[in-house]
Amino acid sequence: MEPIRWRVEEFASIDSTNTWLAARAAAGEPEGLVARADFQTAGRGRLDRRWESPSSSSLLSSILLRPKVLDSERYLVSVAVSLAARAALVRLSGVRPMLKWPNDLVVGHAKLGGLLAEAVKSPDVDLAVVVGIGINLTWSGPNGDASTCIKDIAGVTLQPRAVLDLLLEELENRLAALYQSRGDELRDELRGALSTLGQHVHVEGPTQSIDGVALDIDERGRLQVQTSREVVSIDVGDITHLRVVEGQSP
Ligand code: BTN
């Protein structure tokens, strides 16, 4: 695989790095363009939520990729970004966040960061995926104990750009692994990083809510949940970890 030529554009303030980068992707921009902002006036989270943070307190960034993978493997692009973020944070701060399915970075039960991946189609070029990432560095978020930041956990103040540079280095390795081994290595790394597996979960989906034990992820990245009656595959949704089930590793 040719190394990706990362081109980072930095903004003091922007509406949303995802929105800006999606417009560039729609106009045919090659992969490797990255947006980073100190502040967003209209930051977006998953499930149509807002994503807000004070200036310079977080990594707020979006990465444009044109991954040559099957549709069924596209979820692994977000997985590669969240695992790369985790690896970068370990190297810079010693903090090793776990992943809460599908893509949240968590420490214990507190959210440290999240991903918003959006597909952008434009004529005559490979499908683009814009992966936005927000990581709380010096501000622990609006949700009390439900969210946290690197400074509160490790006492260190990380610079957003330093985290981004290392994240891109770690991402390059994982994308190479994805293209060479069809995602097996990434799936293994994901299983080791997912705190969701083995937990009793409540899943709030668009059409149904389910309670059960998270067993595994399948080859399309869906969460397999054992309910009292059957194993259900969850595509999208918001999950709550309820408690660790005895005898299973979290
Ligand atoms: C989530 O809901 O957990 C995902 C949050 C993603 C936030 C990031 S911040 C940078 C990028 N730009 C956005 O508008 N959203 C993403």
Side-chain angles (χ1 to χ4, degrees), residues 111-178:
K111 181 159 170 166
L112 181 68
L115 260 67
L116 175 66
E118 298 177 298
V120 182
K121 288 189 183 142
S122 43
D124 305 328
V125 273
D126 296 331
L127 181 106
V129 180
V130 170
V131 186
I133 182 158
I135 303 176
N136 303 335
L137 298 179
T138 57
W139 180 66
S140 63
N143 301 323
D145 289 350
S147 52
T148 188
C149 68
I150 292 291
K151 183 143 191 245
D152 283 1
I153 303 162
V156 290
T157 298
L158 298 184
Q159 297 307 316
R161 179 62 195 255
V163 179
L164 176 62
D165 287 343
L166 214 48
L167 188 161
L168 295 175
E169 186 186 313
E170 293 283 348
L171 178 58
E172 184 112 33
N173 300 336
R174 283 166 181 80
L175 290 175
L178 170 58

Side-chain angles (χ1 to χ4, degrees), residues 16-18 40 43-46 51 61-62 111 114-115 133-134:
S16 150
T17 55
N18 261 44
Q40 297 184 123
R44 295 185 284 114
R46 287 178 62 238
W51 186 267
S61 195
S62 302
K111 181 159 170 166
L115 260 67
I133 182 158

Side-chain angles (χ1 to χ4, degrees), residues 46 51 59 78-90 95-116 132-137 140 146-150 153 163 167 189-190 193-196 241:
R46 287 178 62 238
W51 186 267
L59 173 64
S78 305
V79 167
V81 174
S82 46
L83 290 172
R86 179 181 196 241
L89 292 172
V90 173
V95 174
R96 186 182 298 274
M98 298 298 281
L99 302 189
K100 181 178 154 201
W101 185 88
N103 285 309
D104 280 357
L105 293 159
V106 294
V107 174
H109 287 287
K111 181 159 170 166
L112 181 68
L115 260 67
L116 175 66
I133 182 158
I135 303 176
N136 303 335
L137 298 179
S140 63
S147 52
T148 188
C149 68
I150 292 291
I153 303 162
V163 179
L167 188 161
E189 189 183 355
L190 175 62
L194 264 183
S195 61
T196 305
H241 292 176

